[in-house]
Amino acid sequence: MNSIKNMIETAGWPRIIIGLFLLSLFMVAPLVGVKVSTSIHDTIVRFGRNGVMVLAMVPMIRSGCGLNFGLPLGIIGGILGILISVEMELVGMSGFLTALGLGVVFAAFLGWGYGILLNMVKGDEMMIATYVGFSSVAFMCMAWLLMPFKSAAMVLSYGGSGLRTTISMDDFWTDLLSCSLLDMLPDAAASFFSQLDISFLYKILPDGLVAWAVSVVQFIFLEQAMGMILFFGFMCFLVWLFFRTKVGQAMNAVGQNPDFARASGISVDKMRVLSVVLSTVLGAVGIIVYAQSYGFVQLYLAPLYMAFPAVAAVLLGGAAVGRVAIVHVLVGTFLFQGILAMTPSVINSALKGLDISEVLRLIISNGMIIYALTRRTKEVR
Amino acid sequence: MTGDDMTDDPGGLFRCEGISKAFGDTRVLTDVSFSVGRGEVVALVGENGAGKSTLMNICFGMPSIIETGGYSGQLYLDGQPVRFGSPKEALEAGIGMVHQEFSLIPGFTGTENILLNREPVNRSLLESVFGGRINALDRPRMEERAGTALSKLGVTLDQQTHVSQMPVGNKQFLEIAREIDRSRTRLLVLDEPTAVLAESEASILLEAIRKLAADGLGIIFISHRLREVMELCHKVVVLRDGHKVAEMPTRETSVRQIAAFMVHRDKEEAEEQRVAKDFSAAPTALSVRHLWVDMPGERVDDVNLEIRENEIFGLAGLAGQGKLGIPAGIMGLKPAGGEVDFYGQKLPLNDPRACLAAGLAFVSEDRRGVGLLLAESIQMNIGFTAMQLQKQFLKNYFLFATVDEAALEKNALKYIDELAIKCSGPLQKAGHLSGGNQQKVCLAKAFTLAPRLMFVSEPTRGIDVGAKALVLNALRRYNQELGTTVVVTSSELEELRSVCHRIAVINEGRVAGILPASAPLEHFGLLMSGEEVEPEASAPCGEAVPAEVGA
Ligand SMILES: Nc1ncnc2c1ncn2[C@@H]1O[C@H](COP(=O)(O)OP(=O)(O)OP(=O)(O)O)[C@@H](O)[C@H]1O
Ligand SMILES: [Mg+2]
């Protein structure tokens, strides 16, 4: 009894409610004709696609700079990396890695300036961050038109100059991280698993259970999004590891108690700038992962709309303005993206014929953002 | 106790019955009952971590209690059972509380803090929203009300200065004034109100409390200064490990008996005697010339000191005279100027890292503000600074190094044992420790740095009688065994005289004089009040300490 109460307390009611809602969607899905495997696949793809951008919230929250509403800045850095890599006509892994490398450098620069700015407005970080997000996007709206890119894949077809709103990545490096665990296994191991005789299991266990277990194992090994999930997992590991180091601990202390940090000989301002740089760089990596999975890069106003879902996800996951852990990122992204993937497809199938999924998606995502932001004020107090 | 009833027990204002509380698996209070009558002052005493603050937090409906699963047992106010879900409800019922740690808004003036920070919503606050003329009318009334509350306490202080500019003593008075301005307040809970006060200020406060009690308020008074308790209170309730072990009228007991009820240490730590020593030949460790420090409420104007290697040097003085500003300024935590040399090397000011790297360490008097990461474990708090500065407690891998929890734990366990830190283990969060044990964690943090010179401000603030000797002996031991030079700042002169070799008295931001610890008490008193002491009585730097020692 007590342990159940404890579990609920550690998980927190918002997560339990949303989790149960998501679960019920998964249960309803087959009834209205949505295949469960598709629903799960959609959820997992969205999870991997958006995860790194949610992870980009962590360093700034940890150092006490608040929620990274300036995420669009990192996204712009990442997009610049992508565009240059496309302009160089690099395809496949080399294109992806070039985009990553360049994106990280741009984002580091932008983040450095952004960090210095935030140091000048201590106490009002989140308002200024939001403003930085908006103004950087507005500025880039002009810049995208003027940049001297030449590649036919990116330039507006009529004028011959200025970038398109949406650039397809199809010819360059779409779905580069999409590979299943089976693909990643060495051939020998793969063939061993595929020829494994499990008929004896049917003799000792109920058939239904074995069939279910087999489908789960198949799913795990065949799911194409596993590559991206592993990449996301690796990024999470890096961030976690960073916070286990001396510098990471210093950043943590700065966020918790700047006076304590100062008295321990830590430069508060430097740590804050570093955290903003890290957050911005993660934003850049995030958009590159997103683009390769989504297959498109969206310019102009699109980066603006990416900050709020990321903020909402981390809050839903259980983070507060002064407190965040990697689990919050994982849980929050899964719940947020799960609901976003499932609700429209379930309701759509139930309505039969009437396609309102995009509208629904907007309503649900904004609804969850508002919900998450109201939770925030409660938890900060 | 009064066993009977739900009905009115004459004079019975407030009563707890069978209160128990556990945080997770640790039991903190077990079946505690006591009562407070109208006009009665009840003392609640016990060792650090005995559960005093927890009990009072329960009576006040603090969120830290509610969020950790509430409590069992029953509270009665005026014979009616009550249960508070939040401090607001407790306030509305007429209970006021001054917490162990300050809860004032630094950027507001004294008046604003007394009046505005109050719930239920203050009408004058609403009025001031309308601004203009109403606001102009409102101000004088506010000042008047704040003035009334303060004069009830019998203190005069400039209520129009910002709280951040005030000495700690004034802050304490403000907190109390805030509680008594509420006309409803019938029961006042004071959690170690005198810990931050110098003796003279404390006696003003005690007088004020007596007046309030005479007006019919019930008062619960927590203190580690048993002499105060004997002087002020009608009744003493002693807690030990969360159990009530005694309840008796102060008339029928003594400091000695109370102390005996409180402690249960296996080995009684006897206070070691100060060894008189001549440091005049020792090299200078720290030389301070024309130091000024801009510390609100503790301003330092022009301080000159020569501190010898391996001595224990005391800084005494009344609150607000600047003694606390000296270490904070030298360590770079407050803007400072002047010249400071450490073993002949110039020490850069306003640069905490350089000071720490040169081998200085500082235990701040503001343990929650500067001393601790409340959300981190005890072991991380103790090891943090050493990790940052000396790369201790790190495990090296090929390209990077991560925190070595095992080494942190080992270090923490050593100090938990040495300083008798009462906790559930080295992984308990520092914010979940009792006030006195937090203080010990701060000391352990400085010891871990193994500094050449250590500043310690108010080392025994909030520490119980028994543990005081423990802490002071630890200071002596570090001084003797490791040759650490120690500079102790304290508002308790007796404590300084028992541990230091020489004591500088700070008055109005300057050194009024330096005396050997054995100098007669009147001489200290004279210096503190700004008088002169005949030259032969005051010891110039490093003069031999006369033979008669001890206090
Ligand atoms: N939130 C919490 N979680 C876990 N343990 C706690 C928490 N708050 C207090 N404790 C534990 O409860 C015990 C009693 O603490 P309390 O603050 O009541 O002591 P105290 O008598 O006020 O001591 P002091 O004289 O040092 O102020 C301590 O051992 C402390 O570690
Ligand atoms: Mg306490």
Side-chain angles (χ1 to χ4, degrees):
Chain A
M1 190 48 224
N2 232 343
S3 66
I4 294 177
K5 210 170 138 194
N6 274 347
M7 262 167 62
I8 292 180
E9 246 157 47
T10 18
W13 277 112
R15 277 155 294 292
I16 290 174
I17 293 168
I18 294 181
L20 288 177
F21 181 56
L22 187 58
L23 197 67
S24 66
L25 283 175
F26 274 115
M27 308 224 272
V28 173
L31 301 182
V32 295
V34 179
K35 271 182 69 186
V36 177
S37 59
T38 331
S39 338
I40 295 182
H41 173 74
D42 284 354
T43 306
I44 289 190
V45 167
R46 284 177 153 273
F47 173 72
R49 192 185 276 172
N50 291 280
V52 182
M53 277 188 279
V54 182
L55 190 62
M57 297 290 137
V58 174
M60 274 176 65
I61 297 181
R62 279 287 176 95
S63 74
C65 291
L67 299 162
N68 183 12
F69 285 103
L71 183 68
L73 202 63
I75 294 182
I76 287 168
I79 291 180
L80 279 173
I82 298 178
L83 296 183
I84 294 175
S85 133
V86 166
E87 179 78 11
M88 289 159 75
E89 300 191 343
L90 297 169
V91 294
M93 201 41 106
S94 61
F96 178 71
L97 291 180
T98 310
L100 264 188
L102 290 171
V104 164
V105 172
F106 284 128
F109 258 108
L110 292 171
W112 181 64
Y114 174 29
I116 289 175
L117 181 69
L118 287 190
N119 272 345
M120 295 189 227
V121 295
K122 283 191 192 131
D124 289 324
E125 287 94 348
M126 286 196 262
M127 201 178 73
I128 300 298
T130 316
Y131 172 76
V132 164
F134 272 87
S135 55
S136 62
V137 167
F139 175 79
M140 291 312 288
C141 278
M142 292 186 285
W144 300 131
L145 281 173
L146 299 176
M147 284 184 176
F149 284 109
K150 291 281 179 295
S151 162
M154 305 192 295
V155 175
L156 287 167
S157 42
Y158 41 93
S161 76
L163 293 160
R164 297 181 195 176
T165 331
T166 304
I167 295 165
S168 168
M169 299 302 296
D170 277 345
D171 300 333
F172 303 94
W173 31 272
T174 307
D175 276 343
L176 194 78
L177 295 176
S178 295
C179 56
S180 62
L181 286 180
L182 201 62
D183 297 343
M184 282 179 255
L185 286 177
D187 286 346
S191 63
F192 169 77
F193 278 118
S194 50
Q195 282 157 23
L196 200 62
D197 182 13
I198 54 162
S199 54
F200 71 95
L201 279 178
Y202 285 97
K203 291 191 192 108
I204 50 173
L205 292 169
D207 286 4
L209 187 68
V210 179
W212 185 78
V214 167
S215 64
V216 168
V217 170
Q218 269 178 347
F219 174 79
I220 291 173
F221 277 91
L222 296 179
E223 172 55 56
Q224 286 293 311
M226 276 303 170
M228 192 163 60
I229 302 289
L230 282 184
F231 183 85
F232 174 39
F234 179 65
M235 297 306 292
C236 287
F237 173 72
L238 285 186
V239 171
W240 177 83
L241 197 65
F242 171 75
F243 280 102
R244 301 297 304 153
T245 64
K246 185 179 132 209
V247 179
Q249 286 290 333
M251 190 178 283
N252 212 11
V254 166
Q256 277 191 40
N257 183 349
D259 290 334
F260 175 95
R262 228 174 83 73
S264 291
I266 295 165
S267 162
V268 173
D269 283 359
K270 268 192 209 151
M271 278 303 149
R272 284 167 53 103
V273 170
L274 180 62
S275 79
V276 177
V277 167
L278 281 180
S279 272
T280 311
V281 163
L282 282 170
V285 175
I287 193 66
I288 292 170
V289 173
Y290 184 91
Q292 65 79 35
S293 159
Y294 188 53
F296 298 99
V297 183
Q298 293 173 301
L299 309 185
Y300 300 95
L301 288 176
L304 196 55
Y305 302 123
M306 314 213 78
F308 281 93
V311 169
V314 82
L315 292 177
L316 279 187
V321 172
R323 171 180 65 103
V324 68
I326 303 287
V327 271
H328 298 150
V329 172
L330 298 175
V331 172
T333 314
F334 185 78
L335 291 179
F336 190 87
Q337 295 298 333
I339 299 249
L340 221 53
M342 291 297 295
T343 327
S345 67
V346 168
I347 294 186
N348 241 5
S349 319
L351 287 178
K352 298 224 166 52
L354 201 65
D355 188 5
I356 54 165
S357 54
E358 270 319 301
V359 179
L360 270 179
R361 208 157 263 153
L362 265 179
I363 294 175
I364 294 159
S365 113
N366 286 309
M368 278 196 292
I369 290 169
I370 289 175
Y371 176 69
L373 290 177
T374 54
R375 300 303 309 163
R376 174 181 76 94
T377 45
K378 269 221 152 150
E379 289 190 36
V380 173
R381 215 178 357 188
Chain B
M1 326 168 339
T2 46
D4 41 77
D5 53 79
M6 293 278 132
T7 54
D8 220 4
D9 135 44
L13 171 64
F14 178 76
R15 193 146 58 86
C16 327
E17 209 126 282
I19 302 288
S20 298
K21 166 75 191 162
F23 292 104
D25 294 331
T26 26
R27 287 210 77 71
V28 173
L29 290 171
T30 315
D31 196 20
V32 177
S33 309
F34 74 98
S35 68
V36 186
R38 292 193 184 80
E40 190 179 25
V41 186
V42 176
L44 192 59
V45 299
E47 286 187 318
N48 293 129
K52 305 179 293 295
S53 298
T54 308
L55 182 57
M56 291 305 106
N57 288 341
I58 288 173
C59 298
F60 198 58
M62 287 296 283
S64 60
I65 301 293
I66 312 296
E67 283 160 11
T68 50
Y71 60 94
S72 61
Q74 185 63 57
L75 307 177
Y76 298 92
L77 193 63
D78 286 330
Q80 299 298 316
V82 287
R83 195 170 195 92
F84 304 122
S86 68
K88 196 173 164 202
E89 289 173 34
L91 286 174
E92 277 165 9
I95 299 185
M97 177 156 177
V98 175
H99 293 274
Q100 196 164 1
E101 317 291 338
F102 289 121
S103 54
L104 297 171
I105 307 176
F108 280 25
T109 66
T111 303
E112 284 165 341
N113 264 293
I114 293 177
L115 291 172
L116 288 191
N117 201 9
R118 177 147 38 105
E119 300 175 46
V121 185
N122 190 321
R123 275 188 62 214
S124 60
L125 172 64
L126 281 183
E127 282 158 13
S128 69
V129 171
F130 300 116
R133 282 172 56 201
I134 298 174
N135 205 3
L137 281 176
D138 200 29
R139 277 278 159 189
R141 211 175 72 210
M142 279 171 64
E143 296 297 345
E144 191 195 309
R145 271 181 64 187
T148 320
L150 286 168
S151 65
K152 253 196 215 171
L153 281 175
V155 288
T156 42
L157 53 86
D158 186 359
Q159 60 202 62
Q160 297 187 22
T161 41
H162 281 198
V163 163
S164 56
Q165 310 289 323
M166 285 185 184
V168 269
N170 287 6
K171 290 188 199 171
Q172 192 62 273
F173 284 118
L174 280 184
E175 293 244 5
I176 297 166
R178 187 181 66 201
E179 297 311 315
I180 61 173
D181 175 71
R182 293 178 234 270
S183 50
R184 282 216 200 94
T185 304
R186 289 179 296 164
L187 176 72
L188 190 57
V189 176
L190 303 169
D191 195 348
E192 297 193 31
T194 52
V196 296
L197 301 182
E199 268 156 62
S200 56
E201 291 171 313
S203 58
I204 299 178
L205 180 65
L206 298 191
E207 198 42 54
I209 294 174
R210 246 179 238 121
K211 260 194 237 167
L212 292 174
D215 286 350
L217 253 68
I219 290 170
I220 301 177
F221 179 81
I222 299 181
S223 176
H224 288 297
R225 299 184 182 169
L226 298 181
R227 237 176 299 157
E228 265 171 24
V229 165
M230 292 302 292
E231 193 185 314
L232 172 72
C233 303
H234 303 110
K235 187 167 82 178
V236 201
V237 174
V238 186
L239 287 184
R240 184 204 294 167
D241 281 338
H243 295 263
K244 187 181 85 175
V245 291
E247 178 175 1
M248 54 220 166
T250 30
R251 268 179 285 109
E252 295 166 17
T253 182
S254 62
V255 169
R256 184 172 281 273
Q257 193 189 11
I258 297 175
F261 272 120
M262 277 170 59
V263 295
H264 65 131
R265 284 200 180 74
D266 339 325
K267 45 173 189 182
E268 190 57 38
E269 187 109 2
E271 184 135 347
E272 285 161 28
Q273 284 297 302
R274 171 169 41 82
V275 191
K277 244 183 171 177
D278 180 6
F279 285 96
S280 50
T284 304
L286 190 77
S287 116
V288 178
R289 283 181 304 280
H290 302 301
L291 178 77
W292 58 262
V293 182
D294 182 14
M295 177 170 176
E298 287 279 346
R299 216 172 50 143
V300 178
D301 290 324
D302 183 4
V303 160
N304 297 288
L305 288 171
E306 294 277 320
I307 294 163
R308 302 295 163 126
E309 177 166 45
N310 203 12
E311 79 177 323
I312 302 184
F313 192 87
L315 294 173
L318 297 178
Q321 299 297 325
K323 66 178 185 304
L324 289 172
I326 297 171
I330 294 175
M331 291 301 290
L333 298 186
K334 292 284 184 274
E339 263 177 71
V340 180
D341 287 349
F342 186 50
Y343 285 101
Q345 295 283 315
K346 203 165 152 45
L347 203 64
L349 290 169
N350 308 311
D351 183 354
R353 191 177 188 93
C355 294
L356 289 163
L360 283 84
F362 178 37
V363 181
S364 168
E365 73 286 357
D366 182 5
R367 57 177 175 242
R368 284 170 83 97
V370 182
L372 293 171
L373 289 175
L374 295 174
E376 294 291 337
S377 62
I378 297 175
Q379 63 186 43
M380 180 53 89
N381 269 285
I382 296 182
F384 186 88
T385 312
M387 175 174 79
Q388 291 297 328
L389 270 138
Q390 305 168 347
K391 300 201 169 62
Q392 285 191 58
F393 313 119
L394 288 171
K395 241 189 309 197
N396 276 300
Y397 295 98
F398 183 50
L399 281 173
F400 55 92
T402 60
V403 181
D404 185 350
E405 298 285 351
L408 274 179
E409 182 184 346
K410 194 167 154 237
N411 177 62
L413 285 173
K414 177 175 146 212
Y415 289 107
I416 287 175
D417 178 52
E418 220 164 87
L419 298 175
I421 300 174
K422 190 178 174 204
C423 59
S424 61
L427 288 177
Q428 188 177 5
K429 285 188 179 158
H432 291 170
L433 284 175
S434 80
N437 287 302
Q438 289 178 342
Q439 176 71 18
K440 294 181 193 168
V441 169
C442 294
L443 285 164
K445 186 175 73 165
F447 290 149
T448 301
L449 282 169
R452 291 168 81 187
L453 184 147
M454 183 156 75
F455 288 105
V456 189
S457 290
E458 306 287 0
T460 61
R461 176 178 289 179
I463 293 216
D464 68 55
V465 246
K468 245 179 202 177
L470 207 77
V471 164
L472 294 180
N473 286 349
L475 283 177
R476 289 191 188 94
R477 204 164 51 242
Y478 277 84
N479 168 257
Q480 272 161 27
E481 289 170 10
L482 303 175
T484 312
T485 312
V486 182
V487 181
V488 189
T489 312
S490 174
S491 9
E492 287 184 44
L493 190 55
E494 273 317 305
E495 174 179 305
L496 287 178
R497 294 197 347 139
S498 80
V499 73
C500 298
H501 300 111
R502 287 188 303 151
I503 299 169
V505 177
I506 310 299
N507 190 36
E508 293 185 341
R510 285 157 211 275
V511 179
I514 299 178
L515 300 173
S518 52
L521 210 51
E522 312 88 76
H523 290 181
F524 286 100
L526 282 174
L527 287 179
M528 284 192 190
S529 50
E531 306 288 323
E532 299 273 323
V533 175
E534 305 92 80
E536 74 267 24
S538 81
C541 156
E543 194 203 68
V545 177
E548 34 113 25
V549 287

